[in-house]
Amino acid sequence: MQELRSRESDVKNELKTAKIEEDLKIGRYFSLSLVGLGKLVIKKTEEVVNLKKRGRFSEGLLANLLPESESMPMTKLVGRTTAQRNLEQIWGSLRDHNIRTIGVYGMGGVGKTTIMTHIYNQIKSFRRLGIAIWVTVSNDLNIEKIQNGIAQAIRLEFSDKDDEMSRSMKLFEGLKHREKFVIIFDDVWKPFSLEKVGIPEGNAFKIVLTTRLKNVCRGMRCQKKVEVQVLSREEAWELFQERLGADVVLPPEVEPTAKLVTEECGGLPLGIITVARAMREKGDIREWRNALDELKCSMTEIEGMDDEVFPILKFSYDRLKSERIRSCFLYCALYPEDYAFYDEELIGYWIAEGLIDDMGDWEKELDKGHTILNGLIDVCMLVKRFDDCIVMHDLIRDLAISITRKSPRFVVKVGTGIRGSMGVEEFTSEVERISLMRNEIKMLLGQPNCPKLSTLLLQRNPPLRNISHCFFDRMNNLRVLNLSYTSIEYVPVSVSNLENLSVLLLNNCWRLTEVPSLAKLKRLRLLNLSNTSIKEVPDGMECLVNLKELYVGSEEWVDFDRYVRSGHWKCLKLVDLSSKFGYLTLETNRLVAIGCNFVEEESSSVPPDNIVELILNECELLSLRGLSRLQCLQKCKISFCSMKWLLPMEDNPTMRSLPSMTPTGSFAFLRHLTVYRCQVLESLMSLELFQQLQCLERIDIEGCSEMEEVIQGGEAMVEEGDNNKNNNPAVLPKLREFYLINLGKLKSVCKRVIICPSLSEISIVGCCQLKKLSLSLGNSTSVVEGTIEGSKEWLDALAWDDPNTKTLLLPLFQEAEAKEEEEEEKAEKAAAPAAPAAAGGGCGIKRKAEQQVSSTYQQPLSSY
């Protein structure tokens, strides 16, 4: 995320600082340079989007570093007296010129990190202390991770060749030149050398660390040690009541027992909060007495847990409503400490594991997952960070791992430094889930017997290259297999027989060229092949009847068009396909296609019926006739496409051989229509179809150099018995915005009058051949905004169908110099749009709509 934020900032700065004065006339005309710059931004933002997608399902890592420009989200301090006293002690030490290093220590769950988030934000508003840098250290101390975190905060770049010493020297130089800074190291478990990291000496620099162990403060030579105290009895009771619910009034006979329950939490905020949430809506004195007994008797059943903390947290775990919810909670223990899940990424794993029932409806399954997730957040077993990121408190993760040492059986060895080959010793017959991610495993040998194993996580083992062909033969229950970010060249044949497999992640396996037949994997829901060297769609793809998500993004993929034309992707909920031949992404009801020649007459080639938003860029197609059955379509944005008509006309000779024309009701819900630089487009559609667009709110046409008429047809016809019905005006009651920009050959909007009583903004720029404006605002007297720009001679010759409309729109006229108009027209004709770079595929569950994927061409350039 840090890399993406920096990248986003770079792109924005590049756009702002680009010197385009020679090619760009500030105002209403936009020349080729801005088009070129816009195309560059498309390319850049697509790269950013691809990086974002790579962080989703398999490795959704949220950096542990908050950049200099942002404040941290804060949880309210609990315990007015105690917490405030702790905060003031730390703040006073920071302002003391004689103190350089401060150690903040206390038991797990006492609120050290919460206090430091307040300190962090306070430093940012108190500039005398310089910049604030936050780095989470965690139990698996990693000097390189610490160095990278600090470097990103001060915008210092390391090269791939830099070793620890080189990084240390660069950091030293980078920090030495800063007048002041404060580095907060959160969750330190063992001492480390500041000099080894590259932090210089000097009283102007402040170091604050949080730890559970006072000895760490001594080992780090902290000049000031601040113990974060537990809450007083009164503060604890106040917090307990608050988290029980402001509207909860305990019965008189329950309150004394509730106070005793609170006291059993030992003044520990995390414990008080979790127990209070577990006892919410409990009014029976018997339940409270039972809870008190359990808290008193629940001594440390699991080795390694703190005697004071464990009973409290275990109590909340035991109070989860069902075994299924407990399983959802325990699943999070497979991932590293401080790992940040995207909410729907985590739900995706639960669905794959069968922890959420198959409802036959993807959205309903997600809703059920969110219900479980929110329940775990409500009882403080998980914590929501930012908008869609979920983390697990490290103490609660310790609890989960400890529970899984008994039943259910997990093997969690994440980032423990496992090297070389690995046999079957960890793969016992009782194990249910194994996580060996983030190690240095090179080979997986043998044929382990794991009939209960449902999840195997092997991602981020860069040296992993060889896996026995029979390795998966005796893992018939396997549902989730993650081999992403490894060096495998082939997927073992034994994967072909994993009939229960639901998720297969092979993204970023750069050497991977071979995938066995997938024909038997009929339960597969997610397949990620992005950023591999696979050239052809794997055999058996058409058999994946339950596939919901597919990610394939590779420059090597040569049969892109064949798969797109097969239509198999249409039944998916999320699709991300890309190669050097094109780019196609489908997310729920939104389709983006770049350089795809798939919208044809054949029913197998058109998008799913429920598409709401359609974006086409540089697609070669005859027309959009094949999309006429998209009854749900609301937004349609087309740019640099090569069709003569947006929708075919019955009186076009080329179209006469086609089947019956567009059916009644087509595009009936279309609200926004944007057409940009379709250079051979002659008109949009027939009047008959146009009159069906009663929901249309915005029409935006720009840079279509061959367009002579927007709406075709509607010539006056008087026949016997006709009663002049063919001369009736077209009415678009909801049309609010109408833009015609740089249409050098446009002669007519429509031969029939178009009544648009709701029009509030109109722009007509660079349409010097327009002879008549066949628009009517009806009886409207509202002020209309916008621009009508051209020469005075052009305006004088312009015919109007409605005097009232002329009165309302004439004040918008701005005269343009004829010479500049001619120059811009020449520039437009010389413009040749460069194809956007093919986007890379995602690497995991992708739920959020990637709004930037086509940000430049979603709106006309005149709107920038």
Side-chain angles (χ1 to χ4, degrees):
M1 289 299 293
Q2 177 65 33
E3 180 183 355
L4 294 175
R5 286 172 178 152
S6 300
R7 191 76 170 274
E8 180 187 32
S9 176
D10 291 343
V11 172
K12 288 181 178 178
N13 289 335
E14 185 177 348
L15 178 60
K16 289 178 182 177
T17 59
K19 295 180 179 180
I20 57 174
E21 289 84 357
E22 292 182 2
D23 299 315
L24 174 65
K25 178 192 174 194
I26 304 299
R28 299 295 170 182
Y29 292 108
F30 288 78
S31 69
L32 174 61
S33 66
L34 188 54
V35 175
L37 189 57
K39 301 291 284 181
L40 176 62
V41 175
I42 290 178
K43 180 177 179 180
K44 293 288 188 184
T45 51
E46 282 174 1
E47 291 174 7
V48 173
V49 168
N50 293 329
L51 285 173
K52 286 174 68 178
K53 285 184 249 180
R54 291 175 196 165
R56 285 299 174 93
F57 195 92
S58 63
E59 279 299 301
L61 176 64
L62 179 70
N64 296 318
L65 167 71
L66 269 291
E68 181 180 343
S69 60
E70 293 188 2
S71 294
M72 290 189 70
M74 294 188 301
T75 303
K76 187 179 74 171
L77 285 176
V78 295
R80 281 192 291 264
T81 304
T82 302
Q84 191 61 37
R85 183 172 62 248
N86 291 328
L87 190 144
E88 288 172 359
Q89 273 189 280
I90 299 166
W91 186 249
S93 300
L94 279 170
R95 299 190 64 181
D96 188 331
H97 297 296
N98 297 315
I99 297 176
R100 179 176 177 246
T101 54
I102 304 163
V104 179
Y105 69 96
M107 63 191 301
V110 78
K112 303 182 293 297
T113 300
T114 299
I115 290 174
M116 288 312 303
T117 58
H118 286 259
I119 293 288
Y120 176 89
N121 290 338
Q122 205 164 321
I123 293 170
K124 293 182 70 59
S125 61
F126 188 78
R127 280 299 184 184
R128 293 180 191 174
L129 291 173
I131 69 165
I133 300 171
W134 182 289
V135 178
T136 301
V137 179
S138 302
N139 197 10
D140 55 337
L141 177 66
N142 186 313
I143 296 296
E144 181 180 352
K145 174 184 172 184
I146 294 172
Q147 291 173 325
N148 288 337
I150 298 172
Q152 287 174 359
I154 63 173
R155 304 295 187 259
L156 177 67
E157 292 187 3
F158 294 139
S159 75
D160 294 337
K161 297 180 180 179
D162 284 337
D163 57 14
E164 184 180 288
M165 179 62 72
S166 300
R167 291 191 299 270
S168 176
M169 294 171 63
K170 288 183 178 180
L171 267 184
F172 183 88
E173 290 299 320
L175 291 171
K176 184 174 67 174
H177 298 298
R178 287 192 173 266
E179 292 185 7
K180 295 180 180 180
F181 62 82
V182 178
I183 302 181
I184 298 170
F185 292 114
D186 187 42
D187 197 20
V188 180
W189 284 76
K190 47 190 165 186
F192 61 90
S193 168
L194 296 177
E195 290 75 17
K196 192 174 182 180
V197 172
I199 299 172
E201 295 283 348
N203 286 337
F205 312 142
K206 303 283 186 179
I207 306 295
V208 186
L209 61 92
T210 72
T211 179
R212 297 185 200 176
L213 309 170
K214 190 174 182 179
N215 285 340
V216 171
C217 298
R218 296 193 187 102
M220 295 290 292
R221 295 179 291 174
C222 294
Q223 295 164 280
K224 177 71 175 179
K225 304 176 187 67
V226 178
E227 181 180 6
V228 177
Q229 302 285 347
V230 297
L231 303 181
S232 67
R233 181 179 296 181
E234 293 76 19
E235 290 171 329
W237 176 239
E238 181 181 339
L239 175 61
F240 189 86
Q241 288 179 296
E242 177 188 318
R243 294 309 172 96
L244 202 59
D247 55 340
V248 174
V249 178
L250 292 173
E253 70 274 13
V254 168
E255 186 170 314
T257 306
K259 286 184 177 180
L260 293 174
V261 167
T262 307
E263 289 176 20
E264 285 297 321
C265 296
L268 190 68
L270 179 61
I272 293 167
I273 291 168
T274 54
V275 171
R277 294 289 177 88
M279 295 304 294
R280 187 180 287 177
E281 299 180 2
K282 306 291 186 185
D284 192 328
I285 183 61
R286 298 177 184 84
E287 293 183 88
W288 283 92
R289 285 201 299 260
N290 180 64
L292 181 60
D293 290 341
E294 288 190 13
L295 282 170
K296 285 181 176 179
C297 299
S298 181
M299 290 290 87
T300 309
E301 299 171 12
I302 298 175
E303 184 181 352
M305 291 297 293
D306 190 298
D307 288 352
E308 297 180 56
V309 177
F310 169 71
I312 303 165
L313 302 182
K314 182 66 163 56
F315 174 86
S316 296
Y317 170 78
D318 290 336
R319 284 295 179 283
L320 293 175
K321 291 181 179 180
S322 70
E323 188 62 37
R324 180 167 296 190
I325 294 175
R326 286 190 280 273
S327 295
C328 289
F329 163 73
L330 293 176
Y331 199 89
C332 303
L334 293 170
Y335 292 85
E337 190 173 333
D338 303 310
Y339 184 89
F341 292 93
Y342 286 95
D343 49 8
E344 293 187 359
E345 168 198 351
L346 181 55
I347 293 168
Y349 282 120
W350 291 345
I351 293 173
E353 270 278 352
L355 299 176
I356 295 174
D357 289 333
D358 186 351
M359 302 178 182
D361 186 310
W362 194 64
E363 295 297 335
K364 288 182 179 178
E365 291 166 5
L366 287 179
D367 291 344
K368 180 64 175 178
H370 277 287
T371 301
I372 294 174
L373 184 60
N374 291 335
L376 289 170
I377 293 170
D378 284 346
V379 296
C380 299
M381 303 302 281
L382 296 175
V383 180
K384 195 170 185 79
R385 294 278 170 83
F386 308 104
D387 290 335
D388 58 353
C389 285
I390 310 299
V391 297
M392 177 183 269
H393 191 284
D394 53 1
L395 195 62
I396 290 183
R397 180 176 179 269
D398 291 342
L399 167 73
I401 289 176
S402 298
I403 291 172
T404 61
R405 287 177 186 151
K406 292 186 176 180
S407 180
R409 287 293 304 276
F410 286 17
V411 172
V412 181
K413 293 190 175 182
V414 177
T416 55
I418 302 173
R419 295 178 179 274
S421 63
M422 190 167 184
V424 298
E425 57 275 4
E426 298 291 354
F427 296 83
T428 66
S429 60
E430 295 300 316
V431 70
E432 297 181 30
R433 297 180 182 109
I434 297 178
S435 179
L436 300 172
M437 59 192 289
R438 296 188 179 179
N439 285 295
E440 297 294 322
I441 299 170
K442 291 184 178 180
M443 293 185 288
L444 293 170
L445 306 175
Q447 188 184 44
N449 181 24
C450 301
K452 296 182 179 180
L453 185 64
S454 60
T455 288
L456 178 56
L457 304 180
L458 292 162
Q459 66 265 37
R460 299 281 180 180
N461 277 279
L464 180 57
R465 196 161 183 173
N466 295 313
I467 305 175
S468 300
H469 278 292
C470 60
F471 191 82
F472 300 100
D473 275 345
R474 303 172 76 182
M475 298 182 184
N476 296 330
N477 192 49
L478 198 61
R479 294 171 177 266
V480 176
L481 176 59
N482 193 335
L483 289 165
S484 61
Y485 292 91
T486 62
S487 297
I488 59 173
E489 297 178 1
Y490 61 88
V491 174
V493 175
S494 50
V495 168
S496 291
N497 297 317
L498 297 177
E499 296 183 7
N500 287 305
L501 197 63
S502 183
V503 171
L504 178 57
L505 301 178
L506 301 168
N507 49 286
N508 298 91
C509 296
W510 307 104
R511 297 175 181 268
L512 182 64
T513 59
E514 185 179 341
V515 176
S517 173
L518 305 177
K520 293 183 180 180
L521 308 187
K522 297 187 185 302
R523 296 190 179 183
L524 198 66
R525 297 171 63 97
L526 186 152
L527 176 61
N528 197 324
L529 301 172
S530 59
N531 299 315
T532 65
S533 295
I534 294 173
K535 295 185 177 181
E536 297 181 357
V537 174
D539 180 54
M541 282 284 291
E542 68 280 0
C543 300
L544 304 182
V545 293
N546 286 303
L547 196 66
K548 296 292 187 294
E549 300 180 51
L550 174 64
Y551 304 93
V552 182
S554 171
E555 288 294 310
E556 303 293 327
W557 192 22
V558 296
D559 61 349
F560 173 85
D561 194 56
R562 180 178 68 83
Y563 182 72
V564 170
R565 288 178 179 275
S566 73
H568 293 308
W569 59 274
K570 291 193 297 177
C571 61
L572 307 181
K573 295 295 183 181
L574 295 175
V575 180
D576 200 328
L577 310 175
S578 65
S579 76
K580 58 187 175 184
F581 301 104
Y583 171 73
L584 175 69
T585 178
L586 170 66
E587 183 174 356
T588 310
N589 298 322
R590 183 175 186 263
L591 176 67
V592 177
I594 301 175
C596 297
N597 309 325
F598 71 98
V599 185
E600 302 290 347
E601 297 302 317
E602 297 87 357
S603 60
S604 63
S605 303
V606 297
D609 293 348
N610 61 348
I611 288 295
V612 172
E613 183 175 3
L614 176 66
I615 298 171
L616 302 179
N617 188 42
E618 297 201 357
C619 296
E620 292 186 12
L621 44 129
L622 190 60
S623 75
L624 297 189
R625 174 171 163 67
L627 305 178
S628 60
R629 56 187 177 81
L630 302 184
Q631 304 292 326
C632 300
L633 192 65
Q634 295 183 24
K635 295 182 179 180
C636 185
K637 304 172 185 181
I638 303 157
S639 58
F640 299 104
C641 291
S642 57
M643 67 277 198
K644 288 189 175 183
W645 311 279
L646 196 64
L647 288 163
M649 321 297 173
E650 289 201 34
D651 55 351
N652 285 324
T654 312
M655 297 288 111
R656 284 175 185 163
S657 61
L658 295 175
S660 59
M661 290 296 101
T662 307
T664 303
S666 297
F667 306 108
F669 294 99
L670 190 66
R671 295 189 295 113
H672 294 175
L673 176 60
T674 299
V675 182
Y676 177 71
R677 282 194 179 275
C678 295
Q679 303 288 21
V680 297
L681 189 69
E682 295 179 359
S683 61
L684 290 186
M685 63 190 77
S686 68
L687 178 64
E688 289 73 22
L689 177 58
F690 188 65
Q691 287 177 304
Q692 297 181 31
L693 310 184
Q694 292 296 290
C695 292
L696 199 62
E697 298 174 4
R698 172 174 174 152
I699 300 175
D700 201 327
I701 309 170
E702 183 170 352
C704 300
S705 56
E706 295 299 313
M707 180 174 285
E708 297 186 7
E709 189 173 33
V710 177
I711 307 302
Q712 192 180 77
E715 292 84 352
M717 294 169 57
V718 181
E719 297 179 4
E720 187 176 350
D722 193 285
N723 297 323
N724 292 335
K725 66 181 180 181
N726 290 313
N727 296 327
N728 294 335
V731 181
L732 294 181
K734 296 184 179 181
L735 187 66
R736 294 182 290 105
E737 301 171 65
F738 192 31
Y739 305 100
L740 301 174
I741 310 293
N742 295 336
L743 307 175
K745 291 187 178 181
L746 185 69
K747 297 177 181 178
S748 168
V749 175
C750 182
K751 295 183 176 65
R752 197 82 60 84
V753 176
I754 301 174
I755 300 178
C756 37
S758 301
L759 193 69
S760 60
E761 185 165 347
I762 184 171
S763 288
I764 301 176
V765 176
C767 301
C768 56
Q769 299 296 318
L770 185 63
K771 306 299 183 186
K772 183 178 183 181
L773 192 58
S774 51
L775 295 179
S776 171
L777 275 64
N779 297 322
S780 174
T781 57
S782 301
V783 175
V784 180
E785 297 181 348
T787 302
I788 297 177
E789 191 166 315
S791 66
K792 187 67 167 61
E793 293 75 15
W794 168 77
L795 181 68
D796 290 341
L798 185 64
W800 301 75
D801 270 315
D802 180 15
N804 180 50
T805 301
K806 181 177 181 181
T807 301
L808 291 172
L809 298 187
L810 273 181
L812 304 180
F813 177 71
Q814 295 180 9
E815 187 168 6
E817 296 180 15
K819 183 179 178 181
E820 291 183 352
E821 279 187 342
E822 290 173 6
E823 288 176 355
E824 182 167 2
E825 220 174 290
K826 290 178 183 178
E828 272 196 13
K829 288 180 179 179
C843 70
I845 285 189
K846 169 174 166 286
R847 305 281 189 244
K848 295 285 183 184
E850 308 294 355
Q851 295 297 334
Q852 294 176 338
V853 72
S854 54
S855 57
T856 305
Y857 60 81
Q858 286 189 19
Q859 295 184 9
L861 293 179
S862 57
S863 65
Y864 285 107

